[in-house]
Amino acid sequence: MELRYNLTRDDYLRGLSLHEGRLKGPLSVLRLAARLLFTRVLGLLLVLLIVGALEVALLSPQWRAGRRLRVNRPDAAFFGPHAVTLTAEGVAARYGENRLVLPWGQLTEVWTKKGFCLLYTKSGPWEVLPPCAFEHEAQRKAFTAALHGAVSGDVPWEADE
């Protein structure tokens, strides 16, 4: 199975922002509670307001996604036409002159939301698949099902060999 799509900087940042905005652990629950508290009770103590504002600013998905983008430093050649293929060796990504193969064992997380599909390794995001990468919903579901199976140890095409 192969997908061909044009990855833009906006799609990349939007995918990371969606991933970072999900509830995960006590800090995200605390962030959600602080947001609800600020919208309902405006007369809270000034100290609570300052602490909550700092917390929201430091943990916002947009800030974290932008920071992660600066850490990874994708160059101009990274953006543009991409092709992602599921092979027996792993997930192969091709963009420009580059071809990278992520072995199945290194894929740690597959995350999907609002049409985006993000592939993660231990070191962070490896590939962002925007909604335009998939022709229809059934293709996205089949692709992510194969990837979720690989993360849980059921490597695609292993049974065929």
Side-chain angles (χ1 to χ4, degrees):
M1 178 184 293
E2 180 177 73
L3 300 174
R4 294 179 183 271
Y5 59 96
N6 189 25
L7 181 67
T8 64
R9 182 177 297 272
D10 290 337
D11 286 340
Y12 184 79
L13 285 175
R14 176 72 173 138
L16 288 177
S17 177
L18 286 170
H19 182 263
E20 295 299 332
R22 75 191 194 283
L23 290 179
K24 53 185 182 291
L27 287 179
S28 63
V29 173
L30 181 63
R31 184 176 68 226
L32 180 61
R35 284 185 196 157
L36 290 175
L37 204 65
F38 292 143
T39 58
R40 300 204 188 271
V41 181
L42 297 176
L44 290 179
L45 297 172
L46 183 59
V47 174
L48 181 61
L49 181 64
I50 291 171
V51 169
L54 285 175
E55 177 217 0
V56 169
L58 294 176
L59 296 177
S60 73
Q62 293 81 12
W63 182 80
R64 292 175 63 182
R67 184 172 153 253
R68 185 164 303 209
L69 181 63
R70 287 192 299 275
V71 169
N72 288 344
R73 296 190 199 281
D75 56 356
F78 177 75
F79 300 103
H82 276 234
V84 175
T85 309
L86 303 182
T87 65
E89 302 89 43
V91 181
R94 198 172 9 134
Y95 58 94
E97 299 284 322
N98 302 312
R99 182 177 188 274
L100 302 170
V101 177
L102 178 69
W104 291 114
Q106 291 183 11
L107 186 64
T108 58
E109 181 182 358
V110 178
W111 185 83
T112 58
K113 183 173 183 178
K114 295 186 180 179
F116 281 87
C117 180
L118 278 69
L119 310 180
Y120 276 80
T121 62
K122 285 183 181 177
S123 60
W126 185 74
E127 188 67 36
V128 174
L129 300 165
C132 65
F134 307 101
E135 292 178 16
H136 45 78
E137 185 67 18
Q139 183 185 26
R140 185 185 63 78
K141 286 183 180 179
F143 191 80
T144 56
L147 291 172
H148 281 294
V151 169
S152 64
D154 181 24
V155 176
W157 299 285
E158 192 175 59
D160 298 340
E161 296 175 358

